[in-house]
Amino acid sequence: MTSTTTPESASNLTVRLASRPEGEPTPENFAMAEESLPTPRDNELLLRTIYLSLDPYMRGRMSEAESYAAPVPVGGVMEGGTVCEVMAANTDMFDVGDIVLAHTGWQQYAVASDRVVRKIDPTRAPITTALGVLGMPGFTAYAGLLVIGDPKPSETVVVAAAAGPVGSAVGQIAQIKGARAVGIAGGPAKVEYLKKELGFEVALDHRSPDFVDALAAATPEGIDVYFENVGGAVFDAVLPRMNEFGRIPVCGLVSQYNATSLPDGPDRVPMLMSRILTKSLTVRGFIQREFVRAHYRDFQQDMAGWLTNGKVRYREDVVEGLENAPDAFVGMLRGDNFGKLMIKVGDDPTAGPPAATTAS
Amino acid sequence: MTSTTTPESASNLTVRLASRPEGEPTPENFAMAEESLPTPRDNELLLRTIYLSLDPYMRGRMSEAESYAAPVPVGGVMEGGTVCEVMAANTDMFDVGDIVLAHTGWQQYAVASDRVVRKIDPTRAPITTALGVLGMPGFTAYAGLLVIGDPKPSETVVVAAAAGPVGSAVGQIAQIKGARAVGIAGGPAKVEYLKKELGFEVALDHRSPDFVDALAAATPEGIDVYFENVGGAVFDAVLPRMNEFGRIPVCGLVSQYNATSLPDGPDRVPMLMSRILTKSLTVRGFIQREFVRAHYRDFQQDMAGWLTNGKVRYREDVVEGLENAPDAFVGMLRGDNFGKLMIKVGDDPTAGPPAATTAS
């Protein structure tokens, strides 16, 4: 056991789920409170949050609808991945001052078992990347694209939300594998970024009135892989262009997370099933964790190499202060963020270059 | 070249596509005519049709909508697999009197290249099985279930149209592999057949008013593989019961082939995509031909063995006379047939036991 470095007087700002949202979350769905610090027991750590990751999947956790993970209970701390500093360690596995990847949620301090956190080496890459390109979003892109999408050289890969942390990695990995990457994003700034900074062969604005025609022009050979992150109108534009034996890894459906009812008819399920049949399509939902055992080690090695040689670039959107998490989260569901969204909850002892800029 | 045994006076009854159906095909969509016999050139055979296979996919060929194969042109002979006798052979590869599997369609006589027909050994199994359990439908079941469905021991496999040639093979192969087979069929006679003759653990009548509850009761552990042949209400009942990582090979959608418009709303595409996402489902359309190269040889060997040891049983529904093909075909799309539907177009020189009965 090492002694704590936390001031006795510190309190713990937490953000709890106050009520389940109907549609778009509002400030009333979140409750902030100053609480007392938890105390670690044997084999536990006291952690101070430095960065909190905000991700679209969290919208699902706010609802009671059946999903791949249990919902956050009303009154529970909002869930989320974090990068933390170890403040006290009742274990030999970590030292005070270690930087770790944890899943301690929307709060300044938390206690975690020494078995569920992973040490981060701050000399290897900025510690923020453990929540982004070198973390869950990067691995989601890697596994979903390579295992399910399986792009072949010269095939056409279309990815939605392409300026986001998952989509931007999908497009760049696709190009590394020799495929053509067509990115779809919302607004001219993101489109410009995809083309200029990330080297997407084509980038399209789904808000543009001629989006459907532009997609057709950008995919003259059809679409072999569509990495689905958004659903809705983008999916509708993509589906008729899918080639025989096309693959659709379904990673997310952010455009419909806030929906409170189904769209008006007709019911197009028979049309979708008919497309799947006549084009021999594969539509495959996934969560990255199913691929961790088989592919995480390769991912870490490949992605570290691509970052080093500049083949993968990334962008982070860092918002200061846990109290701003609810607004930032709601904005992200609308596409307001630009790059991997995270909250800087506390001081970053690894310093490093200023955030909120493009890194290579 | 061997000399022909066809009488000079023979004429060729053909069934051509007269017009494209709107909804359910009617007699007016077909045109029958007595035509003169075609003449084989070098490396061609003159074939006399003994059996014509009728299959749901043919409905798709009657329409102009984009599909996995080109439509039959208006005025063209209706397409279909056949078992034929060689009447003349301008090739060394076949002899007059040989029985062959061909794809000569709805007509009494046809000419075919010696490269596109395959010899059938009538001593191995009844020659009708080349159109059913040992042919395309059996292979469709085998490849779709084993390659895409990949059932594990004790998993639950649900199959629709389970009394049909594909579905009955799916259920029996699933049980051979140690899975639980739940068959869905229309009407008590077919349900009884699945349980008594084919040994399905459970068989359900989708026309029964308590079908949804019965399906729930029959799948207490959920559904791991749903072999999709029909779509519509059966799919709607199955989808909520799919387990995480469930697989849905999409082989056919016969319930919607005659539809002229989409059902009323709401549009449930977002619901379907959400299920695929949150349950990590695989929905995979397929046509058997993509698996021929890798799996056909194994299929032939396995299926022949299962027929010999009685682990797979099958049923054929043989209708006499090519002139009855249109009615039989339309009835099949409604589920009127009971077993693999085929037309006996001409004399069967291999004689054999009476058709239209259950064989083992």
Side-chain angles (χ1 to χ4, degrees), chain A residues 66 267-268 282-284, chain B residues 66 267-268 279 282-284:
Chain A
E66 193 182 2
D267 179 10
R268 298 181 308 144
T282 299
V283 183
R284 170 67 152 87
Chain B
E66 193 182 2
D267 179 10
R268 298 180 310 145
K279 291 291 182 177
T282 299
V283 183
R284 169 68 154 83

Side-chain angles (χ1 to χ4, degrees), chain A residues 131-186:
Chain A
L131 299 176
V133 70
L134 278 170
M136 183 273 286
F139 183 60
T140 297
Y142 181 93
L145 179 68
L146 298 183
V147 181
I148 302 172
D150 189 22
K152 313 288 190 308
S154 91
E155 283 193 334
T156 298
V157 174
V158 173
V159 57
V166 177
S168 63
V170 166
Q172 293 176 91
I173 297 170
Q175 298 201 143
I176 289 167
K177 297 296 179 183
R180 286 185 68 229
V182 175
I184 300 171

